[in-house]
């Protein structure tokens, strides 16, 4: 049987053009031209496949199998379901003629008007979307006589053919085959179909309980379409919102900020718009904030017939926007609290990273130059015995030892106000010796560091150096290691070539000396170096009048002062670096986490140097800032 899908022109008759000034009724002048426009209005082949799947769900299918393969040199896409099949005519055969000759006259729309539930189609044009997938569409369905019948439609052709088809077995569902696929769809993989259907038909799959399998024979993969799962904290208090046109269902999840987070618009379980931000009227906070995932389902919306991926901005849409305004303010408050918690966590992480970087830097820098912070001895600020300058080899080695112990004792877990040597449990009580011993148990040798690793010495003076072997977690290793010292470059004398500690005597002439320590544990050998600058004179720092010895590394806080030039200040009373988060440099740095981390680290370096070296000229202060920033940023993570 052959037929035409509405190809024709206007027939002559009594109905002509209305007289000038009269009234008339719109009619289609060229049926085939309209059909072509409708068929080509769907520009997304994945959406066309979703249309086929929805037809199967509307036919009450419980299992749908999508097969992608190649046969006789042609790629094809096949969909097989176990639904009710094509409605039959009075003779008991599939009524393909009605399907082909009633484009735009949807049987499903009439069923919905009679009260049928769970049906999506309403325009009668879904099958035409095969034009965006392949060259021909074959639909097979069984009749009451047990025979299989088929209808074939071809792209860009108005005709259709209906015939019986020999088959060993018949099933009660429908089989749909599109072949060959268009040349531009070579990358249409099973994974892409799976991901699209999981998002597009999320709630239809959940509510109907249908199982959708994808057999990608070209890629030799079998996939199952599972409804997309959102991430984050479900906002149980916002499950629905009333509107003038009916109830709107909400399923919203609160997340940390990410540009990929968005809320989709659905109608009766089928996605209409992937992000509310695509609609101008809803491209506003909180829907475009980047903190929400989920869906808004408004079953009363009117869709654009051709693509069914757009919404008509009529009274129903206006009812949706007004209803969403009622929950917008509540969502803004929830997101504001999330932002505060997120910023607090970021600040804690930044403080932890900056303090750890400076502790590592102080471990390699001369302790007598930075002892104002009292980080090398493991004492808290205000402890007794603080002096402006340490003298002698013994104090230097004790300082190096204290810095190492502070590092290995969990310094990264300390909050502001705790020096590197304090070890506390989560409740604030001091950990027992057994606990400290357990968590400090070192692993195999991984690296080594010389303390200090950079120092300036006066000619003909003497000072001590210590080599600290470490495991991968930077815990010090004290046993089963052999350490050998050498003067790798320059002049000077070592008091001992073996052991953990040695003394170095500077030469009589200024210059640069490189000390090297080689550490061996079994077959593992690592080396560490220290740079010694020998100078004729040293600028020595003494405590000023009323200056307190040590306070530990400061914390930091924000003070918004836009338009003011200062970037940071040191609050000596509270031991805090106050950062101007209204400064243009901060706003620029805050755009990227790594850049913000470096910016705050440099502000710390500036404030620490200014506080630690009062009275020094600007050139010396700049040299110290570069020195401290260099060693701190090397350990910044």
């Amino acid at each position: 049987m052959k037929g035409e899908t509405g190809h024709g022109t206007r027939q002559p008759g009594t109905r002509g053009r209305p007289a000038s000034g009269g009234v008339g009724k719109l009619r289609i002048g060229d049926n085939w031209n309209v059909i072509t426009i409708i068929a080509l209005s769907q520009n997304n082949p994945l959406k066309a496949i979703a249309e086929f799947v929805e037809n199967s769900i509307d036919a009450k299918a419980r299992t749908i199998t999508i097969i992608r393969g190649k046969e006789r040199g042609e790629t094809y896409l096949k969909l097989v379901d176990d639904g009710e099949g094509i409605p039959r005519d009075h003779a008991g055969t599939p009524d393909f003629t009605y399907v082909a000759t009633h484009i735009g006259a949807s049987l499903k729309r009439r069923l919905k008007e009679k009260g049928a539930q769970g049906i999506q189609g309403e325009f009668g044009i879904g099958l035409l979307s095969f034009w965006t997938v392949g060259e021909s569409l074959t639909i097979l369905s069984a009749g009451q006589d047990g025979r299989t019948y088929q209808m074939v439609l071809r792209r860009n052709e108005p005709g259709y053919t209906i015939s019986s088809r020999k088959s060993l077995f018949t099933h009660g569902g429908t089989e749909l085959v599109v072949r060959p696929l268009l040349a531009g769809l070579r990358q249409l993989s099973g994974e892409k179909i799976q991901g699209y259907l999981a998002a597009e038909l999320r709630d239809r799959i959940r509510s109907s309980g249908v199982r959708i399998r994808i057999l990608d024979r070209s890629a030799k993969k079998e996939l199952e379409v599972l409804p997309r799962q959102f991430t984050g904290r479900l906002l149980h208090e916002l499950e629905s919102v009333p509107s003038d046109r009916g109830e709107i269902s909400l399923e919203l999840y609160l997340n940390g900020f990410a540009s990929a987070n968005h809320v989709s618009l659905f109608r009766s379980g089928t996605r209409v718009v992937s992000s509310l931000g695509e609609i101008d009227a809803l491209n506003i906070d909180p829907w475009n904030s980047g903190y929400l995932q989920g869906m808004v389902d408004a079953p009363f919306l009117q869709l654009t017939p051709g693509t069914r991926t757009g919404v008509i901005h009529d009274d129903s849409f206006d009812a949706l926007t007004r209803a969403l305004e009622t929950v917008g303010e509540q969502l803004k408050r929830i997101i504001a609290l999330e932002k505060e918690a997120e910023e607090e966590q970021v600040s804690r992480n930044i403080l932890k990273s900056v303090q750890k970087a400076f502790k590592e830097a102080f471990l390699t820098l001369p302790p007598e130059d930075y002892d104002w912070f009292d980080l090398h001895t493991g004492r808290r600020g205000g402890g007794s015995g603080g002096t402006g300058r340490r003298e002698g080899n013994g104090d230097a080695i004790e300082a190096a030892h204290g810095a190492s112990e502070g590092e290995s004792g969990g310094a990264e877990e300390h909050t502001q106000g705790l020096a590197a040597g304090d070890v506390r449990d989560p409740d604030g009580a001091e950990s027992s010796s057994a606990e400290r011993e357990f968590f400090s148990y070192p692993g195999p040798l991984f690296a080594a560091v010389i303390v200090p690793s950079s120092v300036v010495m006066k000619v003909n003076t003497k000072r001590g150096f210590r080599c600290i072997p470490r495991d991968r977690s930077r815990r010090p290793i004290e046993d089963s290691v052999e350490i050998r010292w050498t003067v790798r470059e320059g002049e000077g004398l070592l008091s001992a070539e073996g052991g953990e500690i040695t003394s170095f005597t500077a030469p009589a002439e200024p210059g640069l000396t490189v000390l090297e320590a080689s550490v061996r544990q079994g077959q593992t050998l690592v080396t560490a170096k220290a740079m010694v600058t020998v100078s004729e004179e040293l600028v020595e720092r003494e405590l000023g009048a009323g200056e307190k010895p040590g306070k530990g590394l400061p914390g930091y806080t924000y003070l918004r002062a836009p338009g003011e030039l200062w970037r940071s200040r040191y609050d000596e009373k509270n031991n805090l670096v106050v950062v101007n988060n209204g400064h243009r440099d901060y706003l620029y740095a805050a755009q990227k986490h790594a850049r913000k981390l470096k910016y705050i680290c440099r502000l710390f370096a500036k404030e620490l140097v200014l506080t630690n070296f009062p009275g020094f000229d600007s050139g010396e202060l700049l040299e110290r800032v570069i020195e401290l920033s260099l060693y701190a940023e090397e350990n910044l993570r």
Side-chain angles (χ1 to χ4, degrees):
M1 180 189 300
K2 294 186 178 181
E4 298 290 327
T5 56
H7 181 60
T9 58
R10 194 183 81 178
Q11 300 295 324
T14 59
R15 294 183 182 178
R17 295 180 179 177
S20 177
V23 296
K25 190 174 183 179
L26 295 175
R27 291 188 300 162
I28 293 176
D30 188 332
N31 292 343
W32 175 242
N33 185 47
V34 172
I35 290 174
T36 301
I37 293 172
I38 292 173
L40 295 175
S41 64
Q42 179 56 267
N43 59 0
N44 185 352
L46 290 171
K47 182 66 177 178
I49 295 171
E51 293 271 5
F52 301 153
V53 173
E54 284 206 275
N55 286 339
S56 296
I57 296 176
D58 289 341
K60 297 181 173 57
R62 304 301 299 171
T63 302
I64 301 172
T65 303
I66 301 172
I67 303 170
R68 173 182 175 271
K70 191 171 185 179
E71 187 176 61
R72 297 174 186 172
E74 292 182 343
T75 55
Y76 67 87
L77 190 75
K78 180 188 295 186
L79 185 147
V80 182
D81 69 45
D82 60 356
E84 296 176 345
I86 301 296
R88 298 185 177 99
D89 57 18
H90 63 278
T93 59
D95 197 354
F96 287 124
T97 302
Y98 182 90
V99 173
T101 58
H102 286 73
I103 293 172
S106 173
L107 174 62
K108 297 177 186 177
R109 187 183 187 96
R110 295 202 301 272
L111 291 174
K112 286 198 286 186
E113 290 172 353
K114 295 179 181 179
Q117 300 294 322
I119 297 176
Q120 276 293 85
E122 58 180 319
F123 302 116
I125 60 177
L127 288 179
L128 291 178
S129 58
F130 87 87
W131 282 31
T132 64
V133 181
E135 295 294 342
S136 70
L137 170 70
T138 302
I139 307 174
L140 299 96
S141 188
Q144 286 183 347
D145 55 5
R147 299 172 64 187
T148 299
Y149 295 84
Q150 68 177 16
M151 177 176 71
V152 179
L153 304 175
R154 299 190 183 280
R155 190 171 184 265
N156 295 323
E157 293 184 15
Y160 64 90
T161 59
I162 300 174
S163 62
S164 62
R165 178 171 175 173
K166 295 181 179 180
S167 177
L168 292 176
F169 304 99
T170 59
H171 61 86
T174 302
E175 182 176 318
L176 180 151
V177 183
V178 181
R179 66 188 313 156
L181 301 184
L182 300 182
L185 298 184
R186 294 187 182 93
Q187 304 302 318
L188 185 63
S189 63
E191 285 92 344
K192 288 184 178 179
I193 298 173
Q194 178 193 37
Y196 187 84
L197 295 180
E200 186 78 3
L201 305 180
R202 177 181 183 270
D203 267 35
R204 291 223 70 192
I205 296 172
R206 292 173 62 182
S207 60
S208 65
V210 65
R211 184 189 179 198
I212 303 175
R213 294 188 311 139
I214 299 175
L215 301 179
D216 192 340
R217 290 175 176 169
S218 299
K220 299 179 177 61
K221 291 183 179 180
E222 181 173 348
L223 309 167
E224 184 166 359
V225 179
L226 300 175
R228 178 190 171 187
Q229 299 297 317
F230 297 115
T231 61
R233 176 171 67 88
L234 177 62
L235 302 178
H236 294 280
E237 63 271 31
L238 296 173
E239 293 185 350
S240 64
V241 58
S243 76
D244 297 341
R245 296 302 178 95
E247 189 174 81
I248 301 170
S249 299
L250 304 177
E251 187 177 341
L252 302 175
Y253 295 80
L254 182 64
N255 286 264
F257 174 79
S259 57
N261 288 336
H262 59 260
V263 178
S264 301
L265 180 62
F266 282 65
R267 193 193 75 161
S268 299
T270 299
R271 188 174 65 177
V272 177
V273 179
S274 61
S275 172
L276 292 179
E278 298 174 14
I279 303 174
D280 290 340
L282 296 174
N283 188 23
I284 55 175
D285 192 36
W287 308 111
N288 63 355
S289 65
Y291 283 87
L292 296 175
Q293 284 187 24
M295 55 172 285
V296 173
D297 195 321
F300 51 80
L301 290 176
Q302 299 297 315
L303 308 184
T304 53
T307 62
R308 288 182 60 190
T309 56
V311 181
I312 297 175
H313 290 213
D314 56 4
D315 292 342
S316 297
F317 178 77
D318 183 60
L320 169 67
T321 57
R322 284 187 284 106
L324 293 183
E325 287 176 2
T326 63
V327 298
E329 291 303 319
Q330 185 176 354
L331 283 171
K332 289 178 183 178
R333 290 192 295 270
I334 293 173
I335 291 172
L337 293 174
E338 177 67 18
K339 286 182 178 179
E340 289 178 9
E342 196 174 72
E343 289 173 359
E344 289 176 2
Q345 182 61 43
V346 169
S347 295
R348 285 195 294 269
N349 292 340
I350 289 177
L351 178 61
K352 183 189 298 184
S353 298
V354 170
Q355 287 188 338
K356 186 174 181 180
F358 277 102
K359 287 169 186 174
E360 191 71 18
F362 289 140
L363 183 63
T364 59
L365 292 170
E368 61 268 24
D369 287 345
Y370 295 93
D371 62 352
W372 185 86
F373 299 103
D374 202 17
L375 295 173
H376 293 275
T377 62
R379 297 191 307 271
R380 294 195 58 176
S384 60
T387 61
R389 175 176 172 83
R390 290 187 179 88
E391 300 290 348
N393 180 50
D395 285 338
I397 300 304
E398 178 188 353
H401 178 73
S404 172
E405 295 301 325
E407 167 67 23
S408 63
E412 67 274 11
E413 299 297 332
H414 298 166
T415 57
Q416 72 178 52
L418 290 181
D422 284 329
V423 181
R424 294 182 176 271
D425 63 20
D427 296 326
E430 293 188 1
S431 301
S432 67
S433 299
E435 289 173 334
R436 287 199 298 271
E437 182 179 355
F438 174 79
F439 287 108
S440 299
Y441 190 80
L445 176 65
F446 180 75
V449 62
I450 297 176
V451 180
S453 62
S454 178
V455 68
V456 179
M457 294 179 63
K458 194 173 181 179
V459 294
N460 294 322
T461 58
K462 185 178 181 180
R463 72 162 301 139
F465 291 83
R466 178 190 175 201
C467 178
I468 306 173
R470 289 174 165 180
D471 65 3
R472 187 179 292 272
S473 298
R474 298 187 176 184
R475 290 185 291 258
I477 302 173
E478 298 179 356
D479 302 323
S480 67
V481 291
E482 179 185 357
I483 303 174
R484 304 294 297 176
W485 294 87
T486 57
V487 177
R488 176 59 59 188
E489 297 178 17
E491 303 295 329
L493 298 175
L494 293 171
S495 63
E497 294 184 355
E500 177 183 346
I501 297 171
T502 189
S503 294
F504 173 73
T505 301
E509 297 291 334
L512 182 66
T513 300
V514 178
L515 304 182
E516 182 178 88
S518 301
V519 185
R520 182 180 295 277
Q521 184 185 59
Q523 299 298 317
T524 303
L525 177 66
V526 298
T527 59
K529 292 181 180 180
M531 308 293 293
V532 182
T533 303
V534 181
S535 176
E536 284 282 0
E537 296 181 358
L538 292 181
V539 179
E540 298 185 356
R541 173 187 178 277
E542 300 291 343
L543 283 175
E547 186 180 348
K548 296 181 180 179
K551 294 188 177 183
L553 273 175
Y556 79 98
T557 187
Y558 291 122
L559 177 62
R560 187 169 182 81
E564 298 189 18
L565 296 179
W566 65 276
R567 296 172 178 82
S568 63
R569 292 171 178 168
Y570 177 63
D571 181 356
E572 184 176 0
K573 180 179 178 181
N574 297 307
N575 194 29
L576 287 172
V577 175
V578 181
V579 177
N580 180 3
N581 62 347
H583 196 282
R584 65 183 183 218
D585 289 351
Y586 176 86
L587 298 176
Y588 171 72
Q591 294 174 10
K592 292 185 178 180
H593 177 73
R595 191 161 60 202
K596 180 179 178 181
L597 196 59
K598 281 188 177 181
Y599 179 74
I600 292 178
C601 180
R602 290 168 184 174
L603 295 182
F604 261 69
K606 182 194 76 166
E607 300 302 333
L608 295 181
V609 167
L610 287 175
T611 305
N612 195 35
F613 297 97
F616 280 49
D617 61 49
S618 58
E620 180 67 19
L621 291 175
L622 288 173
E623 295 291 344
R624 293 292 185 174
V625 169
I626 292 174
E627 175 186 62
L628 188 54
S629 298
L630 173 66
Y631 285 93
E633 290 182 16
E634 182 183 357
N635 299 284
L636 197 61
R637 291 176 177 82

